[in-house]
Amino acid sequence: MKTLRNYLLVTLLMLLCGAFEAPSDVNAQQIDLSVSPPISELLIKPGAEALIPYTITNREDSMGLKLLVKTFTIKKEGESVDYGSVEKVPLNMSFVDESSDIVNSIVVDKTSTKKIFLKLSVPTTTKEGDYYLAVILETQPEFLDKQYSARIKSQIASPLLVMVTKTGRMQALGSISVFKIGGEIFDSFDSIPVELRVKNQGANAVNAKGSIAVRGSFGESAIYQVQSRNIRAKSDALMTSKSAKGDASFILKGFFIGRYGVSASVMMADGTVQLNRSSSFFAFPFKLTSFLVLGSFVGIIMLRKRR
């Protein structure tokens, strides 16, 4: 599920907010923090537990950090993120250091690294499904000596997707909910929109990818790749290509004549599930033919008049 990592990484890496005090002589605290891995996934059974390691790298001044876990919800196709409390999440979580001692806050020295672990256990009563969490490091300037006249308070988030399944394997179940062409008859020079939507009927987020093949009556054919995307559990998504526009998955362009068959092939969960649908359309150069017929008619009339 590499693309799921990319999709969440783009939308969830940073939350930044600042509060500054600025006396006449400013000695500002510098912040350059990173956390690895920047995004994580965990597939786990009810009744099991796991230790998820995180390495924090501090490239600037010594920094006090508060360790938090929150839920997150992606809104408007990744345009915004909402963070919430984990009180109602049926998972047991705590942070521990390399000595297995529980920690709620740490201090990372200047130009150094520190390793912590999120200890996560899943009660046997936990329902199957996806749990979207974020490990958040919140800077706490008050943990250190008051040596700075200007101090920054900020947060960095590392998303964590916990997939709980009774089998320990991802539940992949889906269908092509919509596959349609924007009409049945087109002019040969028209741009032809095609819409492809895939529904994830399983309890876990899955990655879907595939292609659309177009074959003509005279043996011509073309295959268009559909960009892979992640579909959350119990939801559907529009599959798109580089030529996507509006509600169309992609736009067919070129010169078409005759009947064409269009077929969609989609793979979910690394090929575990394969989905197929087909449709067709007819194209003819109506506009060009009309122009030629009209031109010929006008030409014949002009020749007759000359005679």
Side-chain angles (χ1 to χ4, degrees):
M1 297 183 65
K2 292 183 179 178
T3 53
L4 181 57
R5 294 173 180 269
N6 295 334
Y7 175 66
L8 294 176
L9 182 59
V10 168
T11 58
L12 298 173
L13 274 180
M14 281 284 183
L15 286 175
L16 293 174
C17 59
F20 304 90
E21 296 178 1
S24 54
D25 295 322
V26 176
N27 181 19
Q29 185 181 31
Q30 302 295 316
I31 293 180
D32 187 357
L33 287 170
S34 65
V35 59
S36 179
I39 189 167
S40 306
E41 299 166 7
L42 176 65
L43 188 63
I44 192 169
K45 294 181 181 181
E49 65 176 36
L51 275 178
I52 306 169
Y54 290 92
T55 300
I56 303 164
T57 301
N58 180 18
R59 301 179 184 86
E60 289 293 347
D61 301 326
S62 296
M63 188 67 57
L65 297 173
K66 186 176 181 180
L67 309 177
L68 304 168
V69 180
K70 294 184 178 181
T71 62
F72 70 81
T73 303
I74 302 172
K75 301 175 66 177
K76 296 181 180 180
E77 292 294 327
E79 292 180 9
S80 62
V81 178
D82 282 347
Y83 289 87
S85 171
V86 294
E87 289 183 2
K88 295 183 179 180
V89 176
L91 305 173
N92 299 321
M93 295 168 285
S94 61
F95 289 99
V96 297
D97 59 18
E98 293 183 278
S99 300
S100 298
D101 295 327
I102 294 177
V103 291
N104 296 314
S105 60
I106 58 172
V107 173
V108 186
D109 294 330
K110 183 177 181 179
T111 61
S112 67
T113 62
K114 196 151 195 170
K115 199 164 190 176
I116 60 170
F117 300 85
L118 177 64
K119 186 176 182 181
L120 186 148
S121 62
V122 184
T124 56
T125 55
T126 301
K127 293 182 179 180
E128 288 187 301
D130 293 341
Y131 299 89
Y132 292 83
L133 307 173
V135 171
I136 295 177
L137 310 177
E138 183 177 271
T139 61
Q140 301 291 307
E142 61 269 21
F143 285 179
L144 304 175
D145 295 334
K146 296 181 180 180
Q147 54 182 311
Y148 302 106
S149 53
R151 293 177 293 178
I152 302 171
K153 192 169 185 177
S154 62
Q155 294 180 328
I156 181 170
S158 174
L160 168 63
L161 172 59
V162 179
M163 296 173 283
V164 178
T165 67
K166 291 181 180 179
T167 62
R169 293 180 297 177
M170 188 185 304
Q171 187 184 93
L173 180 64
S175 64
I176 295 177
S177 56
V178 176
F179 181 58
K180 65 180 182 181
I181 303 169
E184 296 181 358
I185 300 176
F186 296 90
D187 186 83
S188 294
F189 297 95
D190 284 346
S191 295
I192 302 172
V194 179
E195 181 182 358
L196 172 62
R197 288 184 175 273
V198 175
K199 186 173 185 179
N200 177 11
Q201 299 168 317
N204 303 115
V206 296
N207 175 256
K209 60 182 179 181
S211 61
I212 294 178
V214 181
R215 293 179 175 84
S217 304
F218 301 100
E220 68 273 32
S221 64
I223 296 178
Y224 300 85
Q225 295 299 320
V226 176
Q227 293 178 332
S228 63
R229 69 167 300 166
N230 301 287
I231 309 175
R232 300 186 67 173
K234 307 297 182 182
S235 65
D236 70 348
L238 176 70
M239 305 297 292
T240 60
S241 68
K242 292 181 179 179
S243 66
K245 187 176 181 180
D247 291 332
S249 297
F250 67 95
I251 306 294
L252 290 175
K253 294 182 178 180
F255 179 79
F256 305 97
I257 185 167
R259 181 164 294 279
Y260 289 80
V262 184
S263 59
S265 176
V266 177
M267 293 184 296
M268 300 177 68
D270 297 326
T272 305
V273 176
Q274 283 195 318
L275 309 172
N276 297 280
R277 285 279 293 274
S278 62
S279 186
S280 64
F281 67 90
F282 178 81
F284 188 79
F286 297 106
K287 296 175 184 178
L288 179 61
T289 302
S290 299
F291 176 78
L292 293 175
V293 170
L294 180 60
S296 299
F297 181 73
V298 172
I300 292 172
I301 293 176
M302 292 179 67
L303 287 174
R304 286 182 177 180
K305 285 184 177 180
R306 287 182 180 182
R307 290 178 183 176

